[in-house]
Amino acid sequence: MSSPPFGGSNEMPAVFPDWSPYPDLDSAARAYLRDPEVALEALFGVLRGASVLCFTLERFVNEVNGVWQEVVVCDGSRLVLWHGEDVAPGDGPVGSMTSSLRVVPLSTITEVGCRRRLTRTSTGQARVDSIDVYLLLSSVDDAVPPPGLAEEDGRAPMRHDALRFGKTLDDGGPGQIARLEEFSRVVASLVGRPTL
């Protein structure tokens, strides 16, 4: 399936192709992302031949900015995150987007959490219908607290930075739920161990 490059048609389908059958990052990104060339160029520029142990992808359309895309790759010693987002109307020329890259050493992950919601089928078999994964980081979230919150006791609340990912049967389907769970297990197996 070919997709328009950024700045192309604004008519994006509400449901995107499933990336979960693709075992390699290149194929999965090209099947799922609107702007795979932008994402892959940024990611491979940092990976520079490092093995991709696992990855997860996300994409959605919001009413303000348009298409939001994310790829998270683990190479055994770090997470490489790419995020692409259409610029809100009025904040730049029509068709503009941002492309951001972040590298997080696995040594900064202090906790990995994975919550699965199970439902029972009519035969009584348990089925995973959603998954939420979080990676708690040792860095501090630098978001500004809401007005009045920091003033209550005279000091600003401190929260650790976290990365959060989720999939449901409606948003991604069983294949992407399984792939996100696999991603969380691989990262969890590496946290606290000597890096590769």
Side-chain angles (χ1 to χ4, degrees):
M1 173 179 176
S2 70
S3 55
F6 76 90
S9 171
N10 287 335
E11 296 179 20
M12 298 301 299
V15 178
F16 305 111
D18 185 9
W19 62 267
S20 67
Y22 300 94
D24 65 288
L25 176 61
D26 188 86
S27 298
R30 291 184 189 285
Y32 187 68
L33 299 178
R34 186 195 63 189
D35 304 296
E37 293 82 12
V38 176
L40 293 170
E41 179 184 2
L43 291 164
F44 290 141
V46 172
L47 290 169
R48 299 200 178 268
S51 296
V52 174
L53 300 183
C54 60
F55 60 90
T56 187
L57 290 86
E58 184 59 78
R59 172 177 158 183
F60 63 84
V61 175
N62 67 42
E63 295 174 5
V64 177
N65 290 14
V67 177
W68 185 97
Q69 307 166 88
E70 181 178 58
V71 181
V72 184
V73 176
C74 178
D75 70 357
S77 63
R78 58 200 171 151
L79 296 178
V80 182
L81 299 93
W82 174 83
H83 167 241
E85 184 173 8
D86 288 345
V87 173
D91 286 349
V94 174
S96 298
M97 70 175 284
T98 61
S99 174
S100 306
L101 200 63
R102 180 179 182 187
V103 177
V104 177
L106 291 183
S107 60
T108 65
I109 299 174
T110 60
E111 185 177 320
V112 178
C114 178
R115 175 180 288 176
R116 302 181 307 157
R117 186 175 69 191
L118 304 170
T119 57
R120 297 270 178 204
T121 64
S122 58
T123 62
Q125 184 177 14
R127 176 181 78 169
V128 179
D129 72 359
S130 72
I131 185 169
D132 292 303
V133 172
Y134 73 88
L135 309 177
L136 188 63
L137 306 178
S138 59
S139 56
V140 176
D141 185 351
D142 59 0
V144 177
L149 185 62
E151 300 159 6
E152 289 176 8
D153 60 4
R155 61 186 167 92
M158 196 169 90
R159 293 185 333 172
H160 282 276
D161 199 1
L163 304 173
R164 299 185 183 282
F165 313 98
K167 293 288 182 181
T168 66
L169 289 178
D170 293 333
D171 174 25
Q176 291 182 37
I177 289 173
R179 291 293 297 271
L180 180 53
E181 185 169 10
E182 173 192 2
F183 174 84
S184 71
R185 288 178 176 171
V186 170
V187 172
S189 74
L190 296 169
V191 169
R193 292 184 171 188
T195 57
L196 300 175

